[in-house]
Every structure is written in C-alpha cells, then in structure tokens.
Amino acid sequence: MPKTADDTRQRIVDAALQLFWTKGYASTSIADILDKAGANSGSLYHFFPGKQDLLLAVLQALHDNIGPALLEPAWEGVGDPIEKVFRLLDRYRNSILVTEFRYGCPIGNLALEIHEPDPPVRALLSANFAAWTDAVERCLDEAKARLPRGTNRRALAIFVLTTMEGAVMLGRTHHSIEAFDDAVSQLRHYFAMLIAKRKTRK
C-alpha cells in the first residue's frame, strides 16, 4: 500500500516524540528526526516549518493519546476507582524497571528541560498535565463517598501527580526503585487515613 502524506506526517511525529523523550528536545537534531522517521527534509518542512512546530505536534499527540496509550492499559480490569489511581502509578513503576531506570515521564522531561517555553508550548505542557490530573480527579469523584466531606479532590489529584513525577525522577537518579516505592507507600498511607477519617465521621 503506498504511503500517504498522513503516514509521513505521523512517522515524523512518532520519531520526534521518541527522540525528544530519550535524547531531549535540545539534543535532538532535525537530521536525527529525519533519519529515525525515514523521511526527507522536504517532507518535514512541508508539515512543520520549524522545530517548535514539531514539538507542538508531539505535545498534542501525547495529549490526544493519554487515554489509549496510558489510562486504558493501566485500568484494564480494574473497577475500584482508588485502586485505579495506584494502578496508574504502578504502570510508571513497571516502565522504570523495564527500561532499567532510563524511563522518564515525557511531559515531565520536557517541562524540566524547556525552562522558558513560548506560550503555545507552555499551554500544551499545561494541558497534558491537566489531562492527567483530570483523569485522577475523575477516579476520586467516583470514590467521593469514601473520602472525608469537603475533600479538595482536585488538589488531591495534583498531589498524586507530583508524587508520581518526583518518584520517577528519584528512581532514575538513584537507579533504584526504593524511593519510588517509598513515595507510593506514603501516598497509600495518606489515602488510608482519609478513608478511615470518613468512616469515623459517619
């Protein structure tokens, strides 16, 4: 089957995503992307006038695929909404181990690397973090009857996100899963205290 323009564009975006994730945005050259995508420069510049345009496409792709690429595989067969939160964290744990501590959250990596992003880049970084937080917040909304009345579920979802990002960073830095497990263990303990608090106030 002949390759279409859409196929070529997708190959370029996929290649850039992998390279920005593994090498970093600044360290990835256009030549690197062309080589990995098996594309020529004319094709790339037809779709993306500059490197930042390609970054925006990568960020949009990550945002659009959070469900099928991350949430749905993590939550397959899981009914309990709070357990969904911890299954999501467990997926990051597995990624750290499988990659021998090379794994890093692609959005977290880019947010740390690009210190002063242009507004369109900042907006999409923010949208990606918000989509992740929204997903966790929906789980907490499902479990609201088990949490203390007045719990700020949005803030709790943000707390889960920051725990994950920090735990991934420490795991990569120390080349040990211990810090990740310690962080998640403390988060579980906090959830257990919230649930116990609700039970005592019924």
Side-chain angles (χ1 to χ4, degrees), residues 8 44 49-50 53 115 157 172 196:
T8 301
L44 187 148
D53 299 287
H115 300 296
R172 290 184 67 191

Side-chain angles (χ1 to χ4, degrees), residues 97-140:
L97 292 174
V98 166
T99 61
E100 298 181 339
F101 303 99
R102 293 188 300 275
Y103 177 84
C105 168
I107 300 302
N109 287 359
L110 288 167
L112 287 172
E113 180 186 359
I114 305 172
H115 300 296
E116 291 297 332
D118 287 340
V121 174
R122 184 185 299 280
L124 273 174
L125 287 169
S126 179
N128 272 276
F129 281 132
W132 198 101
T133 308
D134 289 345
V136 173
E137 186 179 11
R138 287 193 295 272
C139 293
L140 301 179

Side-chain angles (χ1 to χ4, degrees), residues 53-72:
D53 299 287
L54 183 50
L55 173 60
L56 291 171
V58 165
L59 291 172
Q60 188 64 57
L62 288 167
H63 180 272
D64 293 344
N65 287 303
I66 186 172
L70 178 63
L71 303 177
E72 292 168 17

Side-chain angles (χ1 to χ4, degrees), residues 133-167:
T133 308
D134 289 345
V136 173
E137 186 179 11
R138 287 193 295 272
C139 293
L140 301 179
D141 288 343
E142 288 183 50
K144 66 180 180 180
R146 294 156 61 188
L147 300 171
R149 292 179 179 85
T151 297
N152 186 332
R153 295 189 294 275
R154 184 67 178 181
L156 185 55
I158 292 170
F159 180 41
V160 173
L161 172 63
T162 56
T163 299
M164 180 278 288
E165 290 287 356

Side-chain angles (χ1 to χ4, degrees), residues 6-99:
D6 286 344
D7 292 333
T8 301
R9 184 186 188 281
Q10 190 60 52
R11 290 203 324 275
I12 293 169
V13 172
D14 290 344
L17 191 160
Q18 289 297 321
L19 289 166
F20 293 166
W21 189 2
T22 56
K23 289 186 64 174
Y25 176 69
S27 297
T28 297
S29 68
I30 294 297
D32 292 332
I33 297 166
L34 293 174
D35 181 62
K36 189 169 185 64
N40 58 55
S41 59
S43 295
L44 187 148
Y45 289 115
H46 171 72
F47 296 111
F48 308 106
K51 190 177 176 184
Q52 179 169 298
D53 299 287
L54 183 50
L55 173 60
L56 291 171
V58 165
L59 291 172
Q60 188 64 57
L62 288 167
H63 180 272
D64 293 344
N65 287 303
I66 186 172
L70 178 63
L71 303 177
E72 292 168 17
W75 292 346
E76 184 177 3
V78 183
D80 183 279
I82 289 179
E83 190 56 34
K84 282 184 176 181
V85 174
F86 288 97
R87 283 292 182 91
L88 184 56
L89 297 176
D90 193 51
R91 186 169 175 84
Y92 287 94
R93 183 186 193 275
N94 290 340
S95 295
I96 292 169
L97 292 174
V98 166
T99 61

